[in-house]
Amino acid sequence: MSQAPEQHATQLPRVLIVDDSRMVRASLIKQIRANFEVREEADGEAGWQTLLLDPTIEVVISDIGMPRLDGYGLLERIRTSRLARIHDLPVIIISGEDEEEARVRAKEAGATDFISKGTPTVELLARLEALVKLAQTRRDLEKSREQLVRNYHGDVSVMAIEIDHYADLSARYGHHVAQLIHRKMSKLLSAKVRKEDTVAHLAEGQFAIISPSADLDACGAFALRLRRAIETIVMTYKEERIRISLTIGLATAGGDAHMTLESLIALAVQRVQDGKLMGGNTVVSDSGEVTPENVGRFSRLAVSVDHALTQLRTGQTDEVRRRVRELVGTMMPLLEFIDAEFRTGMPLALLAERANLINIERTEIGNPIRTHL
């Protein structure tokens, strides 16, 4: 008896493209087919039926103007669906540069991101990969909650990050300039986070960082450093200087096995809104505004000792080396106690002196950075 051919251990993520233009569908497929499996439909009704029947779809790309069921109608069905796999799907809307009103309406209806029909391949792939990674993280967290708690002691935190006055930037300089700022911000975040963190695009000008094994104080300290770093960056466009600021909302599971990632993200986004009401350019957690004075002892410690030990066991010595000073400061009371108990004569004063010589504020930028858009 012949055997079925063996499937690949890993399959490409599947994207559904819904657009009544065959040329647009063909163009998008050509751009992404090396990295994604693609299903295509010519109208919203057909797209909806495909979503009901195909549980492997991870991202939807939809046009707005289509026969039978337009993009707004499809988006409404997705966001009101009682099926979690459909309700939570990332949806990218295809829009023109001059369709600001349509973009606002789609965003209010729950669109995750927007692209134009001329979006470069590199940018399109980057956005899709970020959304797929977010979707996969959601599934992993929901399906493997017990394993997550064992691995990370229940510490899963989310930072929602929004570029202040992003809509005003788009209106003043043009949507293409706002998108360039969005991309630069995305690259900066990806360079700052740990390997185990996930950077995701929630919407234009809005991001999320999902951090396993990081508590709220650690995230607050990182958020403050990130906000200070952004304040030093000056971008120029047609000889005009552009500065941006960030409002950041923090949320953590705190070991709660019933807290879903979707709830964490929603909570962090709500705290961004609270920060905007405070005037923006701020960090907000469950206890209100986070400042250098109230962030707690983790303002000097970006990771826990347990996490540092895990990194050492897995060979991530460079990550630990970057935080040696904070770790010494955190462990010093314990080392002093051990020294007193066993009278070992450990050179703790020398250790403290050497640790203070290590420059760990890598996110601090002394002079403004100028970058051209």
Side-chain angles (χ1 to χ4, degrees):
M1 183 173 61
S2 61
Q3 295 182 340
E6 184 178 353
Q7 293 185 342
H8 295 291
T10 58
Q11 294 182 336
L12 294 176
R14 180 167 292 183
V15 174
L16 172 64
I17 297 175
V18 187
D19 197 301
D20 60 336
S21 169
R22 182 179 297 178
M23 291 182 62
V24 171
R25 297 200 308 271
S27 175
L28 290 171
I29 291 171
K30 183 178 180 181
Q31 286 180 282
I32 70 175
R33 63 187 176 191
N35 299 73
F36 297 91
E37 286 188 5
V38 180
R39 290 198 63 166
E40 56 177 310
E41 299 294 350
D43 62 74
E45 188 63 50
W48 173 247
Q49 295 302 319
T50 296
L51 286 176
L52 291 175
L53 297 173
D54 189 347
T56 67
I57 292 170
E58 301 195 44
V59 180
V60 177
I61 301 177
S62 176
D63 192 17
I64 294 178
M66 297 181 292
R68 294 212 293 167
L69 182 70
D70 64 12
Y72 299 124
L74 177 60
L75 187 55
E76 181 181 2
R77 288 191 188 182
I78 290 173
R79 292 297 176 244
T80 57
S81 174
R82 295 184 179 181
L83 294 175
R85 69 171 179 84
I86 294 179
H87 178 274
D88 298 334
L89 275 174
V91 180
I92 300 177
I93 294 295
I94 304 173
S95 67
E97 297 290 350
D98 58 346
E99 296 179 342
E100 187 61 30
E101 183 177 343
R103 296 162 67 86
V104 171
R105 180 180 171 187
K107 183 176 182 179
E108 291 174 348
T112 310
D113 202 353
F114 300 86
I115 59 171
S116 62
K117 294 178 182 179
T119 298
T121 299
V122 173
E123 178 183 343
L124 177 58
L125 289 174
R127 293 191 184 194
L128 283 172
E129 288 166 359
L131 290 175
V132 166
K133 190 173 183 182
L134 175 60
Q136 290 172 344
T137 302
R138 284 172 173 162
R139 286 197 302 274
D140 290 343
L141 288 174
E142 299 308 324
K143 293 181 180 179
S144 306
R145 175 61 60 180
E146 292 182 1
Q147 185 64 43
L148 184 72
V149 172
R150 284 196 296 270
N151 288 347
Y152 299 113
H153 310 289
D155 290 329
V156 179
S157 299
V158 170
M159 282 184 280
I161 301 167
E162 184 167 319
I163 299 174
D164 289 332
H165 311 298
Y166 185 81
D168 294 339
L169 289 172
S170 181
R172 180 171 181 176
Y173 300 106
H175 183 244
H176 66 292
V177 174
Q179 283 188 321
L180 287 173
I181 295 173
H182 178 101
R183 289 203 295 271
K184 285 183 177 294
M185 186 67 201
S186 177
K187 290 179 180 178
L188 186 147
L189 290 177
S190 297
K192 294 288 185 185
V193 300
R194 306 170 304 171
K195 293 179 180 178
E196 59 267 39
D197 296 337
T198 297
V199 178
H201 300 248
L202 298 180
E204 286 197 58
Q206 191 177 74
F207 309 84
I209 299 178
I210 301 162
S211 300
S213 188
D215 61 25
L216 208 56
D217 284 333
C219 288
F222 175 82
L224 289 173
R225 291 198 298 271
L226 176 65
R227 195 191 65 172
R228 289 198 302 267
I230 291 300
E231 289 176 341
T232 67
I233 296 176
V234 180
M235 289 169 279
T236 58
Y237 176 69
K238 293 184 177 179
E239 305 303 322
E240 188 168 355
R241 296 180 177 182
I242 304 174
R243 289 181 179 270
I244 64 172
S245 61
L246 303 177
T247 297
I248 303 174
L250 310 178
T252 182
D256 183 356
H258 301 291
M259 177 69 79
T260 66
L261 180 60
E262 197 68 33
S263 298
L264 277 177
I265 293 174
L267 190 57
V269 169
Q270 179 56 55
R271 287 171 182 164
V272 168
Q273 301 308 312
D274 295 341
K276 290 166 69 175
L277 291 176
M278 297 176 187
N281 192 25
T282 189
V283 179
V284 180
S285 72
D286 58 342
S287 56
E289 183 177 0
V290 178
T291 67
E293 291 72 33
N294 67 19
V295 71
R297 67 187 179 90
F298 283 98
S299 61
R300 301 183 303 276
L301 179 63
V303 293
S304 68
V305 174
D306 283 343
H307 184 67
L309 291 172
T310 299
Q311 289 181 316
L312 287 175
R313 293 189 192 103
T314 56
Q316 300 179 57
T317 55
D318 287 343
E319 292 294 321
V320 178
R321 186 173 292 112
R322 289 175 53 218
R323 296 170 170 84
V324 167
R325 178 181 174 185
E326 301 103 312
L327 289 168
V328 169
T330 300
M331 293 181 63
M332 188 58 71
L334 176 60
L335 294 174
E336 290 173 345
F337 178 80
I338 292 173
D339 184 47
E341 282 290 304
F342 296 102
R343 299 178 181 179
T344 60
M346 287 189 290
L348 298 182
L350 177 61
L351 176 60
E353 180 184 351
R354 294 287 177 84
N356 286 334
L357 294 178
I358 300 174
N359 179 18
I360 51 86
E361 282 287 16
R362 296 180 184 272
T363 59
E364 295 290 348
I365 304 175
N367 299 310
I369 293 178
R370 304 188 186 278
T371 179
H372 291 270
L373 296 172

